[in-house]
Amino acid sequence: MLQQTQVVTVLRYYPAFLQKFPTIQELARASPSSVLARWAGMGYYSRARNLHRAARIILNRYGGEFPQRYEDLRSLPGIGRYTAGAILSIAFGQRYPVVDGNVERVLARVMALRGDVKAAPYQKYLWSLAGQLTSRRSPSDFNQGMMELGALVCLPRQPQCGLCPVKSMCRARHLNLESRIPKPRRTKTAQYLHRLAAVVRDGRNRVLLVQRRDEELMRDFWEFPQFDVPARGDPGRDGRDSSAFLGRSLHKRFGREFTISHPLCRFQQNITFRRITVQAFEAQLNGEVGRLQCDRMPCRWITARALKDHLFDSTSLKILSNLQNR
DNA sequence: AACACGGGGAT
DNA sequence: ATCCCAGTGTT
């Protein structure tokens, strides 16, 4: 969970997850979607799929006993160099280094590395350095201490050098370069998207959902039918053109006519480099509700009670919470 | 080596 | 608005 996710965020998910899946055995026996359900909202969903696969491998290949050899750990899905080192040092007391974003920053400053520390030669050097520095007496304390130093003192923007236990050996500080090292990552230019979602009601307290089945991204997640508005000739922000586009899109996907009634909510969603403006409309299906079909993806009418049995991505969760606040 | 992956915290 | 987060897998 902690891969690229801040501790404070993980804390909102970890306790419930561990309560639901207290052991490797129980995690391995669970269904993929029930694991994903506990992960929903946290992002990087391949982590959840990998964790689940790893649990099954540990059960089947290692008899449910957690492997304690580096190569065995690395062969598990989702366990890379960092996680293998973290598990072996923290859980099993073995002397393996870790280099996460925090350690990388601490070492880059202590050694005043002016280049792009993400580049392979620097990474190689940092791992080697961390390997030499790692305490023999307590690899766990050392590794956690390095990460904690980066997270609490050696901050990315405003390093608190006055509080730092190693300030006297920090070359970046001696050179007054502590705020310029490491070099900021070049940011991918943002891509702006406008996305329309339909909350289609059937008049019997049900809403229409579709499932992302064949998509590579967010597979198995349920969502309100949604469509990206093409950038060219942007239909714009006023509800009229948007609702027309949404109506046409629904018609294309389901082969039926819909009536778009009124806008429900509008919010911003940031996914990696994309900045998505999501606007949800309420809509009705014209004619008989019964046999709605879509060749592209599974679709389903859902009652409010059945919502919790479905896996939602963050966008649909936001629309849902907006609906329930009414 | 570069990129995609999600969502949110902090400045 | 920007940078980053207890990284990994794929191309």
Side-chain angles (χ1 to χ4, degrees):
Chain A
M1 287 184 173
L2 287 164
Q3 291 168 357
Q4 289 290 285
T5 303
Q6 294 185 342
V7 173
V8 59
T9 301
V10 166
L11 254 21
R12 295 201 295 267
Y13 295 85
Y14 179 75
F17 190 93
L18 212 62
Q19 183 164 9
K20 175 77 175 176
F21 310 111
T23 66
I24 292 175
Q25 284 76 10
E26 286 169 89
L27 180 59
R29 274 196 275 273
S31 70
S33 61
S34 73
V35 176
L36 242 4
R38 303 284 159 158
W39 206 281
M42 195 162 49
Y44 280 161
Y45 298 101
S46 66
R47 294 180 299 181
R49 303 178 203 275
N50 285 337
L51 184 65
H52 188 219
R53 284 203 288 144
R56 294 191 161 177
I57 293 171
I58 291 172
L59 191 60
N60 296 332
R61 188 185 309 166
Y62 299 98
E65 195 80 8
F66 207 97
Q68 302 190 21
R69 293 205 332 247
Y70 183 81
E71 292 308 328
D72 289 342
L73 281 179
R74 284 300 306 270
S75 76
L76 295 173
I79 299 193
R81 197 174 185 181
Y82 162 79
T83 304
I87 291 171
L88 289 177
S89 64
I90 297 171
F92 299 124
Q94 298 185 41
R95 184 166 183 258
Y96 283 88
V98 296
V99 177
D100 70 336
N102 295 306
V103 176
E104 179 182 294
R105 186 169 54 253
V106 170
L107 293 180
R109 282 176 174 155
V110 169
M111 305 304 285
L113 304 180
R114 292 152 163 272
D116 174 13
V117 293
K118 294 288 183 196
Y122 282 100
Q123 286 294 310
K124 190 174 174 196
Y125 171 69
L126 291 174
W127 276 96
S128 151
L129 187 58
Q132 295 177 41
L133 293 173
T134 303
S135 151
R136 290 181 160 71
R137 190 168 54 80
S138 181
S140 168
D141 288 340
F142 179 84
N143 286 342
Q144 293 190 70
M146 287 290 282
M147 293 190 283
E148 208 68 357
L149 185 60
L152 301 180
V153 178
C154 198
L155 303 175
R157 311 260 180 135
Q158 298 249 236
Q160 309 291 301
C161 296
L163 302 173
C164 183
V166 297
K167 57 172 177 276
S168 65
M169 63 174 85
C170 181
R171 294 165 68 172
R173 175 168 164 77
H174 285 307
L175 297 167
N176 268 327
L177 289 174
E178 67 270 18
S179 59
R180 308 170 68 86
I181 292 178
K183 240 167 66 170
R185 277 208 277 270
R186 72 153 178 39
T187 52
K188 200 163 162 53
T189 53
Q191 178 186 357
Y192 291 84
L193 293 175
H194 192 178
R195 181 168 296 172
L196 300 177
V199 177
V200 185
R201 298 183 183 279
D202 72 345
R204 287 192 293 160
N205 212 20
R206 299 188 302 179
V207 294
L208 179 63
L209 297 177
V210 299
Q211 188 177 31
R212 303 171 63 91
R213 215 23 136 163
D214 298 326
E215 321 276 336
E216 210 43 55
L217 189 57
M218 314 268 255
R219 186 182 302 170
D220 301 335
F221 281 69
W222 290 87
E223 63 189 19
F224 294 100
Q226 49 188 262
F227 309 90
D228 283 339
V229 179
R232 283 277 280 128
D234 192 332
R237 275 71 186 150
D238 80 346
R240 224 165 139 257
D241 288 336
S242 291
S243 62
F245 176 83
L246 185 56
R248 287 198 304 276
S249 303
L250 286 168
H251 173 70
K252 250 189 285 184
R253 179 172 294 181
F254 296 101
R256 297 280 300 272
E257 297 293 336
F258 294 80
T259 301
I260 312 301
S261 42
H262 59 277
L264 282 171
C265 61
R266 175 199 191 91
F267 54 88
Q268 192 75 29
Q269 179 94 358
N270 300 327
I271 298 176
T272 61
F273 58 92
R274 281 179 279 270
R275 307 178 63 74
I276 308 169
T277 302
V278 182
Q279 196 171 12
F281 284 82
E282 176 136 348
Q284 287 82 35
L285 173 63
N286 298 347
E288 192 185 337
V289 166
R291 50 187 62 199
L292 187 65
Q293 284 188 15
C294 175
D295 47 351
R296 287 192 41 214
M297 51 211 308
C299 60
R300 189 183 279 180
W301 293 102
I302 302 287
T303 63
R305 261 215 324 285
L307 287 172
K308 67 172 185 342
D309 299 326
H310 292 73
L311 180 60
F312 293 105
D313 75 326
S314 190
T315 303
S316 295
L317 283 173
K318 282 180 184 171
I319 296 173
L320 273 176
S321 81
N322 186 282
L323 285 177
Q324 285 160 356
N325 287 341
R326 286 161 181 268

